[in-house]
Each structure stands twice: as C-alpha cells, then as structure tokens.
Amino acid sequence: MKIVFLDRDGVINEFPGNGNYVTKVKDFHFIPGSLEAVRELTEADFKIFIISNQAGVGKGVYSLDKLKRIDRFMTTNVVKAGGKIRKSFYCTHRSDAGCDCRKPGIGLLRKALKSLNKTISHAQKAFFVGDTEGDIKTGHNAGCKTIFVLSGREDRRYMRKWSVKPDFIVNNLKAAVQIILEHENTSRSRNRRRRA
C-alpha cells in the first residue's frame, strides 16, 4: 500500500505567517501546483492523509467548526481537480497540552494508518512532506522518508540548526511528488528485476 502524509499550511496552501492561522475559508489560498500534485498522487494510487497541528482551535482563535469548514473547502477543491484526500487528521491541542497527536508526536499517523487497518510499521514505506523541522521530525520518528518543501514557514537557514535532516529538499509539493513518483518507479523496477 502506497501512503503519503502531507502537512497542510505551507505545503497545500499558503503559509499564513508566524503566529497566524488560517481562520476562514477566504484566507485559504492553494499554493500554485498543489492541486495538480495531489491529483498526480491520487492517479498513482497513493493514499493521501493531511497531518496538521491547528493549535489555534485549542487557543480559542477559531472554532472547530471553522476548521471543519476550511477542511471541506480544501477537500472539495481537491476532488474538483481530480485528486482525493483520504482523511485529514488535525491536532487542535495547545503546545503545552502534552498530547501525543501534536507533531512531532506520531499519534495522528497512527490514527491514519489504523483507518487503513495498518500499524505504524507501515510508515516505513510512506513519505512525509512538510515545511518545518517539526514535520521532518514527525516523519523521522515514524520511520517515513521525509521531504522538506521550501514553500512554507522555514527555509535552508533554519535547517542548519535542525537535529534531524530531511531525505529530500524541494521547492514545493509539485516537486516533492516528482520525487515520490520516481522513487515508486525505481522500486517497481527493482522488484521486477528481483522476480525475473
């Protein structure tokens, strides 16, 4: 089974700025190429999950209902573009809540895999695409291959101080998908050679 975990803000939609949140549908703007990227993954039979911290709900900046509305807007537009997000998993807790679902914890990945009747060991064959050290740590903690995109919050300067480095660095989700598809094609060829 082919699985990709995607962060949301800075990967799918434009990052709202440090300390800010996407609190309304009208503030949600797709990064150019992200809808096509999700479509390409869908066409290649990948199961796609959104894994995102949204502490603004826990802080009372916006409601859970607004988060659900934003999520519906995103998934509806993904479907219109020919893609499919299997499910979005959000951690709405504040950073001091001590939950295991807030990245870099892997609780949300466990939930996503459980929805496919898979265990966390299946994350070793999955990709995690994100725009922060927290995302890369999450992927690393779960055993995923990690792709750092430069379309969001952090850039290469931040990365110098990171304790964990990504497997790949690209400009955006569209470029990340090319790496994922190339990796998939290489793996398929290798398996064919083994069988031969």
Side-chain angles (χ1 to χ4, degrees):
M1 188 174 286
K2 302 184 290 189
I3 300 164
V4 176
F5 301 108
L6 303 176
D7 176 45
R8 196 191 76 179
D9 301 338
V11 176
I12 301 264
N13 59 291
E14 290 172 8
F15 176 62
N18 282 325
N20 294 326
Y21 299 95
V22 178
T23 60
K24 304 183 204 72
V25 166
K26 72 179 181 66
D27 297 332
F28 188 99
H29 306 291
F30 285 98
I31 291 170
S34 64
L35 285 168
E36 294 84 345
V38 175
R39 187 192 69 230
E40 286 177 38
L41 285 175
T42 304
E43 288 171 347
D45 291 326
F46 279 88
K47 308 284 186 234
I48 304 160
F49 294 98
I50 302 296
I51 307 289
S52 175
N53 291 345
Q54 294 292 329
V57 174
K59 291 175 182 174
V61 178
Y62 54 104
S63 65
L64 185 59
D65 184 56
K66 281 203 173 149
L67 176 60
K68 286 177 179 173
R69 253 182 268 168
I70 292 162
D71 187 70
R72 270 197 304 274
F73 173 79
M74 174 183 70
T75 52
T76 301
N77 278 279
V78 164
V79 169
K80 280 182 190 166
K84 183 184 178 186
I85 290 167
R86 188 157 182 111
K87 194 164 182 189
S88 301
F89 289 90
Y90 295 109
C91 171
T92 57
H93 301 115
R94 298 164 60 108
S95 56
D96 56 5
C99 65
D100 79 331
C101 61
R102 183 177 169 82
K103 295 179 292 185
I106 60 172
L108 293 183
L109 278 73
R110 286 184 196 278
K111 282 185 183 175
L113 289 164
K114 193 176 178 186
S115 74
L116 298 171
N117 296 316
K118 302 292 180 188
T119 63
I120 197 67
S121 64
H122 282 84
Q124 291 170 12
K125 294 179 180 173
F127 281 87
F128 197 109
V129 183
D131 68 320
T132 66
E133 181 184 18
D135 291 325
I136 301 309
K137 275 186 176 172
T138 305
H140 178 80
N141 290 343
C144 302
K145 288 174 193 66
T146 55
I147 305 180
F148 175 49
V149 293
L150 301 170
S151 52
R153 180 186 305 201
E154 297 179 10
D155 58 24
R156 289 174 190 272
R157 281 170 306 167
Y158 286 87
M159 206 175 59
R160 291 186 202 130
K161 299 174 187 167
W162 292 3
S163 56
V164 173
K165 300 291 192 279
D167 293 304
F168 304 95
I169 305 164
V170 294
N171 286 333
N172 51 37
L173 182 57
K174 192 102 168 78
V177 167
Q178 295 317 304
I179 285 174
I180 294 167
L181 296 179
E182 280 166 23
H183 184 271
E184 173 62 20
N185 290 335
T186 305
S187 299
R188 209 181 297 128
S189 301
R190 206 179 291 132
N191 289 338
R192 268 202 300 267
R193 279 201 301 275
R194 275 198 203 114
R195 282 199 295 272

